[in-house]
Amino acid sequence: MPTKRKVAGSERDPLVGARAIGPADPNERAEVTLRLRPRNKEKLEGRLRKLASAPRRGSKVQQHLTREEFESEHGAAPEDIEKVATFARTAGLAVVETSASRRTVVLSGTVAALSQAFGVHLETYEHPGGTYRGRTGPVHVPVELAGIVQAVLGLDDRPQARPHMEIQGGRGNIHWHAGGTSYTPIEVARLYGFRPGGGAGVCIGILELGGGFRLNDIRTYFSNLGVVPPPSVTAVSVDHAGNNPTGDPGGPDGEVMLDIDVAGAIAPSAKIVVYFAPNTDRGFLDAVTTAVHDPVNRPSVISISWGAPEANWTRQAMLEMDQAFQAAAALGVTICCASGDDGSSDGVPDGHPHVDFPASSPFVVACGGTRLNASGTSIVSEVTWAGSGGGFSSVFPLPDWQSRAGVRPPAGGGARGRGVPDVAADADPATGYRVRVDGQDCVIGGTSAVAPLVAALIARVDLPRRGFVNPSLYTHPNFFYDITVGGNGAFHAGKGWDPCTGLGSPRARSFPRPTGRRGSGHSGGRGVRRKVGARS
């Protein structure tokens, strides 16, 4: 009788272009995160079904759980945590951290002990970007933990995701207006109908898998924008990562500052908390669960500008990340994710459409891109940006709220699941955003800019279903300008939702005004708009 069972969906292949160059150092110490099963899973699924149902006029809004209630009802059971701790002691591993709300147990040990405990062979792989500790095949756990442990992450520390940003003019030509036009985030917000200010009483979480920010850059940038005092920005360390600027504006620092500058300029009264984690599947998931269940900062909206094609993820990592987003929905936390900058291929060179994860999760707002041209305070044209990631998931099925809205996957085969993106906004680096990175002023675009823009919008308005907002968005087409021109490769924009720009770009003045403690500004706005064929 086998003493171990494989963890479903944990199979790994080497990175494309990587080769094994020898066994991993058996004496190297490493950490792994184990995700445990939730309590009352059926009850949570029922709550999520109610949140996903079509909002009806006059219907009672589904109440969200507090973080304390979620831990009590749906966190990991104490007896499950203790069983994992017992296994760790037997295997010569140390328990570093446990969290019932995040359903995680972090274990540490030598590579030799971890390999033995989880039935894997760890090797060192060389690839064009460097080296990583990797494995092939599945991960195993003892039979007595097979129904308890849903994922084991961290044995393989390959880079998992990439930032979805592009610098105008390329890495070697970082200048304002180089190769195109540019806008401040405030100018883009004004074009979409935002009024100045807003975000008081709200915390916006931003997830980063590298790089960092400099407070002097933040002070200088917002002073130049006339935003005084600047937004409050703090950093939270996840899995030993931290705020570590590289000095390279074309590297991850550019992503970090783009996210902060866009969110902070559009919702200057909001508190911004940046969660820094390693760029691994473990780091990514731990950053999400840390932010969603943060009992101190309690973000109500989270922006994620990193991702990778669904094919680059293990199924266990995707499903656990999706469950973390489900927890966010139950807590009333909105997640906004960039849809990618490589069009319908998402950078996969096989000639077929692919979508980016985590944008393909049904429980996030997937944010695509447009090319925005303006004159003064009016938009002259807005068309699909060719780099806008979009298509249909091969992992997550088409949600009812998309089906009700008329979203139809293409006939003739191919992926037929959840449609990406949900919304869009200016992302073309040729019409990009002016930001400040490592003491330099530069222009950056990409769907990375759209995620914090939409997050700031959500922070400033009151939707019928706060948190898991997608069902509400799809029942309010008047919230968006329909983008009907352009394409992203395999798909073309058209009337209504499409896999290039989703429902369209924000018509911010149509969103409900904020009430109570959620913010002091509102999303109204005047502004003359010229009707053009690119949007309706």
Side-chain angles (χ1 to χ4, degrees), residues 232-255:
S232 167
V233 182
T234 58
V236 171
S237 172
V238 178
D239 294 347
H240 313 295
N243 176 27
N244 295 308
T246 65
D248 178 12
D253 291 358
E255 180 59 67

Side-chain angles (χ1 to χ4, degrees), residues 104-472:
T104 62
V105 177
V106 177
L107 305 180
S108 73
T110 64
V111 162
L114 289 166
S115 300
Q116 177 68 26
F118 295 106
V120 298
H121 177 60
L122 296 174
E123 295 187 280
T124 299
Y125 286 83
E126 186 178 61
H127 67 106
T131 61
Y132 69 90
R133 183 182 66 244
R135 61 178 179 82
T136 59
V139 174
H140 298 81
V141 295
V143 171
E144 60 270 22
L145 296 182
I148 295 173
V149 176
Q150 297 189 165
V152 179
L153 303 175
L155 295 165
D156 187 308
D157 67 355
R158 72 185 67 189
Q160 181 58 56
R162 59 180 183 265
H164 294 315
M165 67 154 206
E166 294 194 20
I167 292 184
Q168 191 181 97
R171 291 174 62 91
N173 187 21
I174 305 172
H175 302 289
W176 283 16
H177 305 289
T181 187
S182 61
Y183 309 102
T184 69
I186 291 176
E187 290 171 338
V188 174
R190 187 179 299 121
L191 289 167
Y192 286 135
F194 292 78
R195 283 188 176 177
V202 176
C203 176
I204 299 175
I206 296 175
L207 266 58
E208 303 293 355
L209 304 181
F213 62 83
R214 303 175 192 274
L215 290 175
N216 188 56
D217 281 342
I218 292 174
R219 286 191 288 265
T220 300
Y221 179 76
F222 286 102
S223 176
N224 290 340
L225 286 184
V227 178
V228 181
S232 167
V233 182
T234 58
V236 171
S237 172
V238 178
D239 294 347
H240 313 295
N243 176 27
N244 295 308
T246 65
D248 178 12
D253 291 358
E255 180 59 67
V256 174
M257 288 306 300
L258 175 66
D259 294 341
I260 292 172
D261 289 352
V262 171
I266 298 175
S269 298
K271 176 183 179 182
I272 295 176
V273 178
V274 187
Y275 298 84
F276 287 99
N279 186 8
T280 63
D281 58 359
R282 175 193 176 226
F284 206 152
L285 176 63
D286 285 350
V288 172
T289 59
T290 297
V292 168
H293 296 283
D294 186 341
V296 177
N297 298 296
R298 299 177 178 265
S300 58
V301 59
I302 296 170
S303 174
I304 302 175
S305 293
W306 298 68
E310 289 181 331
N312 289 15
W313 293 79
T314 61
R315 195 170 184 87
Q316 65 165 357
M318 277 192 286
L319 295 183
E320 287 307 307
M321 189 91 80
D322 184 61
Q323 287 192 17
F325 297 144
Q326 293 177 35
L331 293 168
V333 178
T334 305
I335 312 289
C336 301
C337 296
S339 71
D341 297 348
D342 293 288
S344 61
S345 74
D346 202 30
V348 180
D350 63 359
H352 299 290
H354 295 269
V355 292
D356 206 76
F357 182 82
S360 64
S361 165
F363 290 92
V364 309
V365 181
C367 303
T370 68
R371 180 187 178 104
L372 183 70
N373 289 297
S375 176
T377 59
S378 300
I379 292 177
V380 175
S381 68
E382 187 169 22
V383 301
T384 301
W385 175 45
S388 179
F392 299 89
S393 174
S394 61
V395 176
F396 302 99
L398 186 72
D400 288 344
W401 39 268
Q402 280 195 322
S403 180
R404 291 192 298 264
V407 175
R408 296 289 180 268
R416 301 180 59 80
R418 186 265 207 270
V420 177
D422 299 304
V423 300
D426 183 36
D428 190 334
T431 59
Y433 298 72
R434 301 174 199 164
V435 297
R436 186 172 181 83
V437 188
D438 295 325
Q440 298 188 48
D441 296 323
C442 50
V443 176
I444 302 180
T447 54
S448 282
V450 186
L453 183 149
V454 175
L457 170 62
I458 298 298
R460 293 176 46 147
V461 301
D462 275 322
L463 291 168
R465 299 286 178 89
R466 169 92 33 204
F468 182 33
V469 300
N470 283 348
S472 295

